[in-house]
């Protein structure tokens, strides 16, 4: 990598000498620094399940906020951040010197509460047992994401070196559910698992102008490391059901978190973006390796684009790409117990080659009208599929689309689009063969006091006969058509009846309807099927919907005092409706019926010219009619003092 960087850097510097324009030093303006600092405290009370505040720290914390900007040119510095304790924060800071050095760091921290699904209920039969090793446990992960960018420029020359760094760190506890045994001696187990997952990515590269083109090269190193309960072990009973499975009793590992290591290189070339003709080419290669199993995946991506704009009212765009994904794995794996080692054969991984073409044009026949027609085709070929049960190995997808941008009236803006996607030989049953999608966006300023916004989308999916494979009889069964429709609409109205009052009301509605074939195989306690053929029910309807109401009010009472209020509630429902036994039980298992509501009241009062006091009250509620154990309410109060300098 260092050799490649030295070669490219030398070329860029050499070719750049002839393309540098001299300029006189300008007298730099001066800007006063700005400082804004807030300090306060946040008090919270949780009643019930923490799902109501899934991504929020529910403990009491000190609140800090800062917004600082310093511009003693040629130096530039900014710092923006807010903190609700060490686990809930956002920081954005950066420093620049002329155009020689540019740096920025963004870091986000939050917590994620996850549910505990109970396993401490009565076993349905003597050969099917349940074990909950951590009854009523609460699970939480602390998450931290940090991204850093640094760019260095050669003084007076269009040549840069850049460095990027990304870290995603997650630590905490989670619920692990797994199965011990086999039919006839089966136990479903739940236990708490401590884990730490850490992803690091470093990118180093260089770019510069070589006359009419710009070239860029970068190298990437990536690691995923895990610690904690990375490997679980349990005692498994003896199983001997030839030819399906044969395994002695022993203590075996399961549910492993492997480490990964990867690297990649990228080359990008493009012409000037300001001409009538713009062209670009990119080539990327990546290798990633599973350090536990030894599986290696190689990816090669290349793409080329061409854009031509002969005159203002017309432009043409072409993009082509190629993807080659190759994965290699061992022909076998070894399960190592304390007393036994068992060898299992492993199927060869599927290799994928994908190529695509996208054509689009931008036409402006009228000043108030822009049309964007486009066509794209994607062909995906799969090889080494002999060991896999695939009804269709290769897939071709074509997309036809037309978009429109229009302003027929001075206060009316319209965006509309229609697309049709046809997929030949889709790999999975849930992928439609034909999809039609319509999108519409309207924005109308009826008067200076009222603005209306409407967003609507409609999707219709259709799939011909679906296929289902029964590995007991090694037979494919055909289902009937799969059809579905989705509607989404969002209507918003914003009004300012007086200059110190702003009111925004919104309502959103989502609905999904589809019919499909459901298949079900009923097995005996020893794992053999009750009937040779599976249960199949055709045209089973599934419906879900969600409706949201939102209201935001802001009132500036006087020059010192302002108040804001936010209300929102969302109600979601969904279920399968089946009639064939034993499929009818799926209706209850698939049912969704919950409501999520929130109320936020905040106020700021300026006690001095540069000092204000703020108060914020928050109430959140989550209610689940299907599983009341998930119900919860959160109360939060925040008081802060803000100083402007």
């Amino acid at each position: 990598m260092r050799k490649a960087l030295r070669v490219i850097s030398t070329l860029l510097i050499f070719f750049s000498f002839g393309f540098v324009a001299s300029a006189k030093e300008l007298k730099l303006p001066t800007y006063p620094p700005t400082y804004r600092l807030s300090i306060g405290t946040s008090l919270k009370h949780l009643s019930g399940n923490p799902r109501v505040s899934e991504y929020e720290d529910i403990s009491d914390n000190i609140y800090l906020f800062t917004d600082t900007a310093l511009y003693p040119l040629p130096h530039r510095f900014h710092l923006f951040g807010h903190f609700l304790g060490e686990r809930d924060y956002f920081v954005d800071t950066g420093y620049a010197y002329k155009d020689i050095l540019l740096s920025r760091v963004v870091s986000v921290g939050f917590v994620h509460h996850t549910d505990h699904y109970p396993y401490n209920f009565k076993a349905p039969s003597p050969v099917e047992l349940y074990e909950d090793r951590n009854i009523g446990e609460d699970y939480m992960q602390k998450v931290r994401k940090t991204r850093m960018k640094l760019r260095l420029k050669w003084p007076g020359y269009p040549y840069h070196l850049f460095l990027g760094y990304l870290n995603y760190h997650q630590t905490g506890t989670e619920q692990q559910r797994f199965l011990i045994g086999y039919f006839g001696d089966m136990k479903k187990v739940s236990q708490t698992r401590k884990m730490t997952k850490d992803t690091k990515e470093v990118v180093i590269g260089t770019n510069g102008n070589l006359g009419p083109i710009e070239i860029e090269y970068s190298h990437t190193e990536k690691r995923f490391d895990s610690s904690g309960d990375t490997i679980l072990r349990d005692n498994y009973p003896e199983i001997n059901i030839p030819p399906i499975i044969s395994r002695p009793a022993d203590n075996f590992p399961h549910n492993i978190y492997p480490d990964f290591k990867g690297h990649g290189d990228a080359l990008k070339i493009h012409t000037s973006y300001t001409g009538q003709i713009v062209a670009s080419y990119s080539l990327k290669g990546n290798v990633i390796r599973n350090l536990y199993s030894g599986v290696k995946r190689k990816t090669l991506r290349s793409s080329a684009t061409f854009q031509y704009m002969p005159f203002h009212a017309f432009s043409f765009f072409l993009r082509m790409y190629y993807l080659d994904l190759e994965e290699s794995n061992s022909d076998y794996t070894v399960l190592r117990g304390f007393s036994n080692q068992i060898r299992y054969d492993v199927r060869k991984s599927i290799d994928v080659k994908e190529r695509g073409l996208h054509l689009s044009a931008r036409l402006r026949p009228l000043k108030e009208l822009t049309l964007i027609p486009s066509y794209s085709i994607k062909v995906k070929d799969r090889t080494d599929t002999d060991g896999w049960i695939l009804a269709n190995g290769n897939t071709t997808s074509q997309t036809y689309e037309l978009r429109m941008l229009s302003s027929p009236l001075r206060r009316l803006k319209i965006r509309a689009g229609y697309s049709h996607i046809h997929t030949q030989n889709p790999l999975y049953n849930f992928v439609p063969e034909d999809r039609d999608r319509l999108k519409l966006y309207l924005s109308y300023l009826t008067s200076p006091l009222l603005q209306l916004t409407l967003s609507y989308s409609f999707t219709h999916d259709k799939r011909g006969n679906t296929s289902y494979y029964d590995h007991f009889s090694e037979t494919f069964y055909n289902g009937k058509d799969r059809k579905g429709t989705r509607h989404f609409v969002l209507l918003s109205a914003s009004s300012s009846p007086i200059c110190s009052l702003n009111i925004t009301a919104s309502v959103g509605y989502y609905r999904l309807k589809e019919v499909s074939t459901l298949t079900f195989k009923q097995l005996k306690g020893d794992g053999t099927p009750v009937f040779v053929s599976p249960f199949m029910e055709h045209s089973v309807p599934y419906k879900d919907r969600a409706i949201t109401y939102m209201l935001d009010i802001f009132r500036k009472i006087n020059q010192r005092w302002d108040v804001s209020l936010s209300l929102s509630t969302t109600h979601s429902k969904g279920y399968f409706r089946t009639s064939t036994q034993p499929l009818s039980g799926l209706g209850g298992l698939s049912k969704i019926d919950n409501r999520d509501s929130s109320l936020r009241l905040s106020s700021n009062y300026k006690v001095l010219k540069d000092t204000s006091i703020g108060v914020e009250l928050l109430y959140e509620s989550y209610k689940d009619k299907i599983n009341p154990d998930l119900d919860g309410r959160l109360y939060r109060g925040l008081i802060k003092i803000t100083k402007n300098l």
Side-chain angles (χ1 to χ4, degrees):
M1 183 188 75
R2 289 194 295 266
K3 183 178 180 181
L5 285 174
R6 286 197 297 268
V7 172
I8 293 179
S9 301
T10 303
L11 290 173
L12 291 174
I13 295 174
F14 177 79
F15 284 106
S16 296
F17 277 109
F19 304 99
V20 179
S22 61
K24 296 181 179 180
E25 289 290 336
L26 299 177
K27 185 178 180 180
L28 300 177
T30 58
Y31 300 96
T34 59
Y35 306 91
R36 187 182 182 192
L37 178 65
S38 297
I39 186 171
T41 183
S42 174
L43 304 177
K44 301 174 185 178
H45 174 69
L46 174 68
S47 174
N49 195 288
R51 182 188 181 97
V52 66
S53 56
E54 185 175 354
Y55 293 96
E56 186 174 354
D57 190 357
I58 58 177
S59 58
D60 299 337
N61 286 299
I62 299 296
Y63 171 80
L64 293 174
F65 170 84
T66 181
D67 188 1
T68 302
L70 305 174
Y71 299 113
L73 299 181
H75 304 273
R76 306 184 301 278
F77 172 79
H78 79 273
L79 172 62
F80 178 89
H82 66 79
F83 305 84
L84 271 172
E86 62 177 0
R87 298 183 297 192
D88 192 348
Y89 64 88
F90 174 83
V91 177
D92 184 348
T93 184
Y95 170 76
Y97 175 73
K98 294 185 177 181
D99 62 348
I100 297 176
L101 185 148
L102 180 65
S103 63
R104 187 182 182 188
V105 178
V106 178
S107 184
V108 181
F110 60 93
V111 298
H112 185 201
H113 301 277
T114 55
D115 299 327
H116 174 88
Y117 293 92
Y119 264 33
N120 58 327
F121 38 79
K122 184 178 179 181
S125 69
V127 295
E128 187 177 347
L129 306 176
Y130 287 85
E131 180 183 351
D132 196 330
R133 297 176 180 174
N134 304 92
I135 299 176
E137 186 85 342
D138 293 328
Y139 302 107
M140 183 188 72
Q141 295 92 43
K142 295 182 289 185
V143 182
R144 181 181 70 246
K145 181 180 179 181
T146 302
R147 185 182 295 273
M148 183 194 76
K149 293 183 178 180
L150 174 65
R151 192 197 72 180
L152 300 173
K153 180 179 180 294
W154 191 275
Y157 298 98
Y159 164 65
H160 306 90
L161 290 174
F162 58 88
L163 174 69
Y165 173 77
L166 172 66
N167 176 242
Y168 188 89
H169 185 83
Q170 183 179 4
T171 183
T173 58
E174 63 183 8
Q175 183 183 25
Q176 183 67 62
R177 291 170 287 171
F178 52 92
L179 180 69
I180 295 178
Y182 199 69
F183 292 100
D185 187 8
M186 180 187 299
K187 183 189 295 185
K188 298 180 180 179
V189 183
S190 166
Q191 75 172 58
T192 298
R193 183 174 193 174
K194 297 180 180 179
M195 43 74 71
T196 297
K197 304 174 185 177
D198 189 77
T199 301
K200 292 185 177 69
E201 181 180 276
V202 178
V203 181
I204 184 171
T206 179
N207 62 42
N209 291 329
L210 277 74
I213 65 170
E214 180 174 320
I215 185 171
E216 176 179 301
Y217 167 78
S218 62
H219 178 80
T220 303
E221 292 285 341
K222 192 170 185 177
R223 283 293 303 261
F224 173 82
D225 298 301
S226 58
S227 59
D229 299 330
T230 58
I231 300 178
L232 302 182
R233 303 191 70 98
D234 275 282
N235 294 319
Y236 283 76
E238 180 182 3
I239 299 175
N240 188 21
I241 309 178
I244 300 175
I245 186 172
S246 179
R247 184 182 64 212
D250 203 341
N251 184 283
F252 291 109
H254 61 91
N255 294 93
I256 297 169
Y257 277 135
D259 294 341
F260 292 87
K261 183 178 181 180
H263 65 272
D265 297 275
L267 178 66
K268 301 178 182 179
I269 303 174
H270 69 82
T271 63
S272 172
Y273 290 125
T274 60
Q276 284 186 319
I277 298 177
V278 179
S280 67
Y281 176 77
S282 65
L283 179 65
K284 299 179 181 179
N286 296 282
V287 177
I288 187 168
R289 185 170 180 265
N290 186 318
L291 300 182
Y292 183 85
S293 66
V295 175
K296 182 184 294 186
R297 174 180 293 180
K298 297 181 180 179
T299 305
L300 178 66
R301 296 182 178 91
S302 64
S303 66
T305 64
F306 176 80
Q307 180 177 334
Y308 177 53
M309 188 172 68
F311 49 92
H312 177 69
F314 176 78
S315 60
F316 170 80
F317 180 82
L318 167 66
R319 179 178 180 266
M320 298 177 292
Y321 76 92
Y322 175 78
L323 169 65
D324 188 347
L325 191 152
E326 179 183 343
E327 190 168 294
S328 59
N329 59 272
S330 175
D331 295 332
Y332 64 91
T333 186
V334 178
L335 180 62
R336 292 180 170 86
F338 288 159
S339 304
N340 300 274
Q341 293 188 6
I342 309 170
R343 173 171 164 166
Y344 293 100
D345 293 333
V346 178
R347 291 176 293 183
K348 190 173 183 179
S349 300
I350 297 176
D351 294 337
V352 178
K353 289 182 173 59
E354 183 177 317
R355 53 197 182 276
L357 172 71
H358 176 81
L359 298 169
S360 66
R362 188 181 185 94
L363 302 91
R364 197 172 186 182
L366 302 173
K367 181 181 179 181
E368 301 82 7
L369 177 64
T370 301
L371 299 175
I372 308 175
S374 65
Y375 167 78
S376 62
I377 182 171
K378 179 173 65 175
V379 180
K380 182 178 291 187
D381 299 328
R382 302 175 182 89
T383 56
D384 296 329
T385 61
D386 296 339
W388 302 82
I389 307 301
L390 297 179
N392 301 299
N394 301 328
T395 302
T396 300
S397 178
Q398 299 183 75
T399 302
Y400 307 85
E401 185 176 13
L402 176 63
R403 290 184 293 157
M404 180 195 72
L405 311 175
S406 178
S407 299
L409 302 175
R410 186 170 62 89
R411 295 181 177 180
L412 176 63
K413 294 182 179 180
I414 303 176
R415 300 175 186 172
Y418 168 78
S419 65
H420 173 77
I421 303 175
H422 175 70
T423 303
Q424 183 179 359
N425 297 329
L427 185 61
Y428 303 105
N429 284 330
F430 60 82
V431 178
E433 291 177 331
D434 291 285
R435 167 172 287 179
D436 295 279
R437 178 177 292 170
L438 176 67
K439 293 183 178 181
L440 177 65
Y441 173 83
L442 299 175
S443 177
Y444 184 49
L445 185 64
T446 60
S447 69
L449 303 180
L450 179 63
Q451 181 175 359
L452 300 175
T453 302
L454 172 66
S455 179
Y456 173 75
S457 68
F458 168 76
T459 303
H460 178 265
D461 293 337
K462 183 178 180 181
R463 172 69 184 267
N465 291 338
T466 51
S467 297
Y468 302 86
Y469 182 75
D470 181 11
H471 77 277
F472 288 97
S473 60
E474 298 184 349
T475 304
F476 278 99
Y477 291 88
N478 291 325
K480 291 188 177 180
D481 293 357
R482 181 186 182 103
K483 301 177 182 178
T485 58
R486 282 191 297 272
H487 297 266
F488 174 76
V489 60
L490 177 64
L491 177 63
S492 178
S494 182
S495 175
S496 298
I498 57 178
C499 61
S500 60
L501 176 65
N502 182 267
I503 303 174
T504 301
S506 305
V507 58
Y509 180 74
Y510 171 84
R511 188 187 71 181
L512 167 66
K513 284 186 176 183
E514 65 179 21
V515 293
S516 60
T517 297
L518 288 184
T519 61
F520 188 87
K521 193 79 171 184
Q522 189 175 19
L523 304 178
K524 299 178 183 178
D526 60 358
T528 59
V530 176
F531 301 101
V532 176
S533 299
F535 290 98
M536 299 187 72
E537 183 178 348
H538 303 293
S539 302
V540 177
Y542 174 79
K543 298 180 181 179
D544 66 33
R545 68 164 179 83
I547 185 167
T548 300
Y549 301 96
M550 294 173 287
L551 177 65
D552 295 284
I553 302 175
F554 175 81
R555 174 69 193 277
K556 191 174 182 64
I557 299 175
N558 53 46
Q559 295 298 320
R560 290 178 174 267
W561 189 16
D562 63 70
V563 179
S564 63
L565 173 68
S566 296
L567 298 168
S568 70
T569 181
T570 301
H571 186 200
S572 305
K573 295 183 69 175
Y575 60 93
F576 273 109
R577 188 169 69 246
T578 60
S579 57
T580 303
Q581 293 291 340
L583 288 178
S584 58
L586 291 178
L589 294 176
S590 66
K591 188 173 291 186
I592 300 171
D593 192 350
N594 58 63
R595 184 182 295 274
D596 195 347
S597 305
S598 70
L599 184 152
R600 186 188 303 267
L601 176 65
S602 61
S603 177
N604 290 282
Y605 185 78
K606 187 179 292 186
V607 294
L608 297 173
K609 181 180 179 180
D610 54 4
T611 305
S612 62
I613 297 178
V615 177
E616 182 181 290
L617 302 176
L618 173 68
Y619 168 77
E620 290 183 316
S621 170
Y622 181 84
K623 187 173 181 60
D624 195 311
K625 293 184 178 180
I626 308 302
N627 187 1
D629 292 337
L630 299 179
D631 293 354
R633 294 186 299 272
L634 176 70
Y635 305 87
R636 189 185 76 185
L638 172 66
I639 184 169
K640 60 183 179 180
I641 300 176
T642 302
K643 179 77 171 180
N644 295 312
L645 300 176

